[in-house]
Amino acid sequence: MATIIKRGNSYRAEISNYKHGVNKRLTKTFQTKAEAKLWAMQNEIAKGNGTDLAKRNDTFSEFFENWVKIVKKNDVRPATYLNYTRTIPIVKKLFGKIKLSELNDLVVQSKIDEYGSNHARKTTTEVLLKIRTSLRYAYGRGLLTTDFASLVKTRGDDAEERNKALSITEFKILRSYLLENHDTDFNILTLLALETGARRGELLGLKPDDIFEYGIKIMRSISPHSNDTRLKNKHSKRSVSINRKVYDILKNVKIKENGYIFDTDGFHQSSRLAKLLNKLDIQKTTFHGLRDTHASFLFSNDKIRLDYISQRLGHSNLQTTMNYYLKLMPEKKHLQDADALNLLDSL
């Protein structure tokens, strides 16, 4: 049973917590007796439900680091694991000595708001998603009494989109230039990105045996973060057709000593692309933006089926392609909204 002890102007709540014959008593001090009673009652209920109160006394920072290094390490690809490890110092700085037992949606929300005050919303969301997953794991292990993770949100304005799709006009200008100026590996890599919509790592992972008449086989992906060449998902392994002129250009690329067609070039493709786009007076985008440009071009043609585009892009499912479609072609949604309303009005 819990006990409440008055100590001067405050109240200390104590809870017995026997584990393996040892009483790891938990205590906490409050300004009012009502607060002390509430805390004691909540923890007695949690103890009755099987929650390990001793582990709830660990800091969230410690728990998060152990969760990443023990649990997530075996669940995700090395590149993804590296991304998780980069979140550890962020969590340590935000949560400090805050214990698992002290966490609730308001505490976590305040910390996410603090982080979001000087970071882009997308970056903040990525951090929150990892924290949410860890909180759900803690709840599943009985270290939290409630599953409040979904209540925490990111707020604020979204940062300006970096991976902008080029307009159809810009697409044609860039493609024409690359077809006429294929004297560098970078220009050929850029042309292939426009032609196939493949991810940068997938193109850097191409070997001579992956080239066929007329197309490329996506078999692996090169990452700047690890030596793991596995693809993003099982649907990423695919064949993508290219036209004859692009095929002829690609066949003339000199194979590198490591057996790949392209050199990684320090993974500086986006910075080199920025210089090229500036030279051609085309709006700035990233190398991944070329993938969005390819997708937009396909979406603009109503004759090309969505399931074909999904397969060509290597999406994990059709819903991913649908989300991509709505992001890149919002005017198409408005047109379809109008068509749907007109159809209903005709009844």
Side-chain angles (χ1 to χ4, degrees), residues 307-346:
D307 56 348
Y308 169 78
I309 298 176
S310 183
Q311 183 277 328
R312 187 174 177 89
L313 294 176
H315 284 160
S316 57
N317 54 61
L318 196 59
Q319 184 59 53
T320 301
T321 312
M322 285 293 297
N323 294 339
Y324 217 46
Y325 174 87
L326 294 176
K327 170 191 168 187
L328 295 175
M329 306 294 288
E331 70 279 1
K332 288 272 189 175
K333 179 181 182 298
H334 296 322
L335 289 174
Q336 291 178 1
D337 284 343
D339 290 341
L341 293 175
N342 289 333
L343 180 62
L344 290 170
D345 288 340
S346 69

Side-chain angles (χ1 to χ4, degrees), residues 173-175 177-178 275-282:
I173 292 173
L174 179 58
R175 187 172 183 274
Y177 175 85
L178 295 170
K275 295 177 182 177
L276 175 59
L277 296 179
N278 184 58
K279 173 183 175 181
L280 299 176
D281 197 25
I282 294 175

Side-chain angles (χ1 to χ4, degrees), residues 203-328:
L203 296 177
L204 293 177
L206 288 175
K207 293 185 176 183
D209 290 343
D210 301 328
I211 310 303
F212 65 91
E213 194 173 317
Y214 296 101
I216 60 173
K217 290 183 289 186
I218 305 295
M219 304 297 292
R220 65 196 69 80
S221 180
I222 302 296
S223 167
H225 306 302
S226 77
N227 295 323
D228 183 16
T229 61
R230 287 178 295 174
L231 293 168
K232 188 172 183 179
N233 60 70
K234 64 180 181 180
H235 298 281
S236 295
K237 184 178 289 187
R238 63 199 187 279
S239 295
V240 184
S241 60
I242 57 178
N243 70 31
R244 182 169 183 168
K245 190 168 185 179
V246 174
Y247 168 79
D248 290 338
I249 292 172
L250 181 60
K251 288 293 288 183
N252 288 323
V253 178
K254 184 179 179 181
I255 309 305
K256 308 305 176 284
E257 290 185 4
N258 60 7
Y260 290 100
I261 294 176
F262 296 106
D263 192 281
T264 60
D265 193 27
F267 298 93
H268 295 146
Q269 287 78 18
S270 283
S271 60
R272 292 192 64 180
L273 178 64
K275 295 177 182 177
L276 175 59
L277 296 179
N278 184 58
K279 173 183 175 181
L280 299 176
D281 197 25
I282 294 175
Q283 70 163 317
K284 185 178 179 180
T285 190
T286 63
F287 204 80
H288 191 85
L290 301 179
R291 176 172 166 83
D292 290 354
T293 301
H294 180 81
S296 293
F297 184 68
L298 297 181
F299 287 143
S300 67
N301 191 322
D302 294 331
K303 294 181 180 179
I304 301 180
R305 289 162 50 109
L306 205 60
D307 56 348
Y308 169 78
I309 298 176
S310 183
Q311 183 277 328
R312 187 174 177 89
L313 294 176
H315 284 160
S316 57
N317 54 61
L318 196 59
Q319 184 59 53
T320 301
T321 312
M322 285 293 297
N323 294 339
Y324 217 46
Y325 174 87
L326 294 176
K327 170 191 168 187
L328 295 175

Side-chain angles (χ1 to χ4, degrees), residues 16 39 59 119 125 210 216 322 332:
S16 296
W39 178 83
T59 66
H119 290 84
T125 299
D210 301 328
I216 60 173
M322 285 293 297
K332 288 272 189 175

Side-chain angles (χ1 to χ4, degrees), residues 23 31 35 43 49 64 95 98 107 132 153 181 198 204 212 236 280 303 310 315 317 324-325:
N23 185 12
Q31 292 299 311
E35 290 175 323
N43 281 278
N49 289 334
F64 185 85
F95 290 87
I98 297 176
V107 171
R132 272 185 190 157
K153 310 290 183 184
N181 297 272
L204 293 177
F212 65 91
S236 295
L280 299 176
K303 294 181 180 179
S310 183
H315 284 160
N317 54 61
Y324 217 46
Y325 174 87

Side-chain angles (χ1 to χ4, degrees), residues 95 98 102-112:
F95 290 87
I98 297 176
E102 298 170 329
L103 290 185
N104 56 45
D105 58 304
L106 297 180
V107 171
V108 179
Q109 184 68 68
S110 68
K111 295 302 178 182
I112 291 299

